[in-house]
Amino acid sequence: MRHRFIDETPLHVKAGNGGAGCISFRHEKYREFGGPDGGDGGKGGNVYILPSQSVNTLNHIRSNKIYRTQNGQPGLGRQKSGKDGRDIHIKVPLGTQILDADTNEVIHDLLTEEPYLLAEGARGGRGNTFFKSSTHQSPRFAQPGEETVESHYILSLKLIADAGLVGLPNAGKSTLLKALTEANPKTSDYPFTTLEPNLGVLNVSFARQIIIADIPGIIEGASKGHGLGLSFLKHIERVKVIIYVLDINAADVEAELNLLKHELSQYNPRLLERPSIVVFNKIDKMDDEGFTSDWISSYQKGSSLMDGSEVVGISALKNMGIKNLVDKLEAITSL
Ligand SMILES: Nc1nc2c(ncn2[C@@H]2O[C@H](COP(=O)(O)OP(=O)(O)OP(=O)(O)O)[C@@H](O)[C@H]2O)c(=O)[nH]1
Ligand SMILES: [Mg+2]
């Protein structure tokens, strides 16, 4: 099965036109024409964007469709107003941004589950009743409904998570997400197992949850679009803490950490100012536990890439050091 994670898509909308006002006159038994009784046209339907936790991607948005709402109905005789057009609500994941398609400017950031009025239906026209005056007893005209125009946007999803797992392919990010949360992403011993971000929820206490995002592996040049990296880096833009996941058995962990930080900074230099935890994973593959922990603490002291980062040795697979990591995560995210 081909699986696509769409986190950016064009969106075309057109709210409904207003209904026309009605020209009508009362029919009375002994008079051919009574006074004007044409009602107003209805208002066109609105287009709302509805941020919702029930969707995680923009896959359901049809980029070649124009999302229209109904026009208002024309007014009727006997001063009856036309019906308003029905509204539509387009569901998107929390964290979706709406951009103007021409200027690329962010118009709105959908951070809560509150509906956002993207395109308002146009006003209906006044019926001829409205235009009756002492000097104009029988107006034979009414207003047309106002018209709306089609408008074009881009929806761009930036996941909302407290912590983001960043690492090379195969470092064990998804395995760690499994160890920390109820999420059950696919893991395997080939690179690029994860093709779309996964979110998991870590319950640290009765009332506190930490949302963790596992993104696809990052390789050199990710910030220039190599691998799967670039499009997913935006999902860690909003996290409070970045968790660098490294395989402690790698030939040169310093070079790997350097690569990760470099790609992040190429994408957005401010990401490096974010609090971070450096996680050395797969410590179960090391022979000597004492040696491993000494090595980790001396690395922490010696590496210029640390700048105050917390450092933890873990085995995501064998559940070692996870409690320690959770404590550190909890401390950082509650700041
Ligand atoms: N021995 C050992 N193996 C691990 C550990 N954590 C992960 N692995 C293995 O490493 C491989 C890669 O793990 P994943 O969790 O899929 O790695 P990933 O970082 O999500 O990889 P991508 O999604 O491709 O970027 C799998 O075979 C895991 O079983 C660990 O702590 N110890
Ligand atoms: Mg993965």
Side-chain angles (χ1 to χ4, degrees), residues 170 172-175 185-187 192-195 198 214-217:
N170 261 336
K173 300 176 295 297
S174 302
T175 309
K186 188 171 161 203
T187 60
F192 299 119
T193 305
T194 302
L195 299 176
N198 301 298
D214 163 32
I215 63 167

Side-chain angles (χ1 to χ4, degrees), residues 265-282:
S265 71
Q266 289 294 301
Y267 181 73
N268 175 357
R270 298 187 55 195
L271 286 174
L272 296 195
E273 295 160 18
R274 231 30 86 74
S276 63
I277 302 177
V278 174
V279 166
F280 287 110
N281 189 29
K282 310 195 186 183

Side-chain angles (χ1 to χ4, degrees), residues 123-169:
R123 255 177 20 142
R126 300 286 196 181
N128 66 342
T129 310
F130 180 83
F131 298 103
K132 182 183 166 185
S133 65
S134 52
T135 53
H136 217 131
Q137 292 288 326
S138 305
R140 296 186 161 273
F141 55 87
Q143 251 177 348
E146 284 178 8
E147 289 186 0
T148 58
V149 292
E150 210 176 284
S151 41
H152 308 283
Y153 302 95
I154 291 166
L155 297 178
S156 171
L157 171 60
K158 288 187 183 178
L159 293 177
I160 301 176
D162 301 298
L165 302 176
V166 171
L168 269 71

Side-chain angles (χ1 to χ4, degrees), residues 248-249 281-287 292 314-318 320:
I248 194 170
N249 305 280
N281 189 29
K282 310 195 186 183
I283 58 169
D284 58 293
K285 283 167 99 180
M286 304 283 278
D287 302 327
T292 306
I314 66 159
S315 166
L317 193 65
K318 302 275 161 68
M320 297 158 67

